[in-house]
Amino acid sequence: MKNDNQKLQRTMTSRHIMMMALGGAIGAGLFKGSSAAIDMAGPSVLIAYLIGGIILLFVMQGLAEMAVRNSDARTFRDLVQSILGKYPAYFLDWIYWKMWVLNIAAESVVAAIFLQYWLPEYPIWILALSVSILVTVVNLLSVKVFAETEYWLALIKIVVIVVFIIAGLALLLVTFGNHTAVGFSNLTDHGGFLPNGPTGLIAAMLVVIYSYGGTEIIGITLAETKNSEKVVPKAVRGTLVRIITFYLLPFFIIVSLIPWNEVNGVSESPFVMVFKMIGIPGADHIMNAVVILAIVSSMNSGLYGSSRVLYTQAVDGRIPKIFAHLSEKKVPVYAILMCTLALYMGVIISLFAGSKTFEFLMGSLGYTVLFIWLIIAIAHLKSRKIQPEKTSTYAVKWFPYTTWAAIITLSAILIGIIFTTSIIVTGITLAIYIFITLTYIYKDRFHEDEAK
């Protein structure tokens, strides 16, 4: 057992983890993935994000309740293992790690795409490499420095999104100067509200789930959060309201201002397109800068989450102990460096795939977020049988209906996505899951043989 000097420090507060969850969820999925989702579903993308937000609410409430009941938990595995058993906990830990390392690789490429708005003469791989080095350095500093950096990065993009919402509503509703109020005709023109039918809406759900993914990083902050049993439920409530607001309102403005079939045809973010419409000199450059900061913020959260999964695995003796080593600043330095390898793998992939790297990785990431949410919801459903409601200081209202609603809806989305997603993306994701399962079987048999 590690002494107090070798443990992660509980230095993060409610405002830190709330902003970290926002930082994880408001990134490339919103600023770049928005184009893909609108292209698939048209204006009906609003329905997709509303459904996704409601599911997220139900899942995160369950996560908060389990965190309160198990205040000693450090990560998802600690919450799930006592409820579902070793294999689901092992599988959840590793697909969560896989989600974040692939996500930070994908987002380094997206950040590079937006940097090309200013630096078109530089190839994507050089710009992605520069962003990757910056994120690595920030994470190697103390947890407090990391949390403060993430807090302010997240705050900047939230302020700008609020400005975006106000400006967008003005463009929609107010006539001024040479501008005529746009109104809401774009919601039904160009093929109607559901131009690609139910299939398009279902296909967009993969992007939606991917976009909201990252909020559950609250479950990884448990070991470094003061009074986690009080702070986590508060952070969950505050974060969910903000995430749903910061997705639904911006999407409503985008599909109202811009014909849906024109959004995905340009390299710049829909947010930059709207800021151009405002007509303020340099507004598009300001928005592009904010988009890049937002993506760096999301990468920050991802590198934090993935490194902490490796750290707890090493502490428990499941992987080499070197990944449990903490620096003088109480940062798991080797775990962070191992996870940054994914960033540089993303740079190498972008040498060949360029801007297509993001689209390729996003499909696999959507599957992974879906499975993470399903496992959390199933664990919450079963947790009440192990520990009744009356023993907890925090309990989900309308249980078990909300949890069952999340499980049924996520299962239906999974079936729909299997039929609407590229067979290559589905096959690669399945191969990764089979590999994780085989490593569990091998480890289990190895420990059995040792015991004999």
Side-chain angles (χ1 to χ4, degrees), residues 353-368:
S355 60
K356 293 290 181 184
T357 306
F358 174 71
E359 282 81 2
F360 180 74
L361 292 174
M362 184 172 62
S364 180
L365 289 164
Y367 269 121
T368 301

Side-chain angles (χ1 to χ4, degrees), residues 154-383:
L155 186 61
I156 289 169
K157 65 186 173 187
I158 287 166
V159 168
V160 173
I161 290 174
V162 170
V163 173
F164 173 87
I165 291 169
I166 295 168
L169 290 174
L171 289 170
L172 284 171
L173 303 172
V174 181
T175 297
F176 53 90
N178 295 324
H179 172 77
T180 304
V182 176
F184 306 106
S185 60
N186 280 328
L187 291 173
T188 51
D189 291 346
H190 315 289
F193 186 72
L194 204 71
N196 295 325
T199 303
L201 182 62
I202 293 169
M205 287 305 302
L206 186 63
V207 183
V208 170
I209 298 297
Y210 160 72
S211 298
Y212 279 140
T215 316
E216 68 292 318
I217 197 171
I218 287 173
I220 295 290
T221 66
L222 299 176
E224 293 169 279
T225 303
K226 296 175 183 176
N227 303 318
S228 58
E229 65 277 6
K230 294 180 181 178
V231 167
V232 171
K234 180 183 176 184
V236 165
R237 286 191 296 268
T239 301
L240 286 167
V241 173
R242 287 164 178 79
I243 284 177
I244 294 171
T245 301
F246 294 146
Y247 269 93
L248 284 178
L249 282 176
F251 269 94
F252 173 73
I253 288 166
I254 290 168
V255 295
S256 298
L257 283 177
I258 308 167
W260 70 270
N261 51 356
E262 295 178 13
V263 170
N264 206 33
V266 292
S267 59
E268 62 195 20
S269 166
F271 287 80
V272 175
M273 293 171 70
V274 171
F275 262 65
K276 273 186 177 179
M277 295 174 68
I278 297 171
I280 300 171
D284 56 323
H285 293 290
I286 294 169
M287 192 63 214
N288 199 58
V290 172
V291 168
I292 292 166
L293 284 176
I295 294 166
V296 170
S297 164
S298 183
M299 290 172 66
N300 239 0
S301 294
L303 190 50
Y304 172 89
S306 57
S307 63
R308 268 46 178 191
V309 170
L310 278 191
Y311 170 80
T312 53
Q313 290 274 13
V315 167
D316 293 346
R318 298 168 188 271
I319 59 175
K321 285 286 185 184
I322 190 171
F323 296 116
H325 173 76
L326 297 178
S327 68
E328 290 182 3
K329 300 289 187 180
K330 299 295 180 281
V331 170
V333 58
Y334 295 116
I336 289 171
L337 291 174
M338 181 64 185
C339 294
T340 59
L341 287 178
L343 281 172
Y344 304 109
M345 284 175 61
V347 171
I348 293 169
I349 293 170
S350 68
L351 265 170
F352 305 99
S355 60
K356 293 290 181 184
T357 306
F358 174 71
E359 282 81 2
F360 180 74
L361 292 174
M362 184 172 62
S364 180
L365 289 164
Y367 269 121
T368 301
V369 176
L370 196 67
F371 276 104
I372 289 168
W373 289 9
L374 267 171
I375 294 171
I376 292 171
I378 292 167
H380 178 232
L381 192 68
K382 194 175 178 183
S383 68

Side-chain angles (χ1 to χ4, degrees), residues 385-403:
K385 295 178 181 177
I386 297 170
Q387 191 171 23
E389 179 183 352
K390 63 183 180 181
T391 64
S392 175
T393 57
Y394 171 82
V396 174
K397 294 180 181 178
W398 308 107
F399 179 88
Y401 307 109
T402 54
T403 307

Side-chain angles (χ1 to χ4, degrees), residues 19-37:
M19 285 299 184
M20 188 183 299
L22 287 167
I26 302 177
L30 176 60
F31 295 112
K32 178 65 176 170
S34 55
S35 300

Side-chain angles (χ1 to χ4, degrees), residues 65-134:
E65 183 180 288
M66 289 190 292
V68 169
R69 290 177 175 177
N70 189 353
S71 58
D72 294 328
R74 302 155 301 167
T75 184
F76 287 127
R77 189 180 73 246
D78 294 337
L79 292 176
V80 169
Q81 185 163 308
S82 61
I83 301 168
L84 297 181
K86 290 182 179 178
Y87 170 67
Y90 179 90
F91 184 75
L92 177 61
D93 240 12
W94 283 113
I95 66 170
Y96 192 74
W97 182 80
K98 169 254 182 188
M99 179 195 81
W100 274 122
V101 294
L102 285 186
N103 189 65
I104 58 179
E107 295 202 319
S108 69
V109 175
V110 175
I113 291 169
F114 291 133
L115 280 170
Q116 276 193 326
Y117 188 70
W118 296 320
L119 305 166
E121 69 275 14
Y122 288 93
I124 282 176
W125 75 268
I126 287 181
L127 299 174
L129 178 62
S130 303
V131 173
S132 299
I133 291 170
L134 172 65

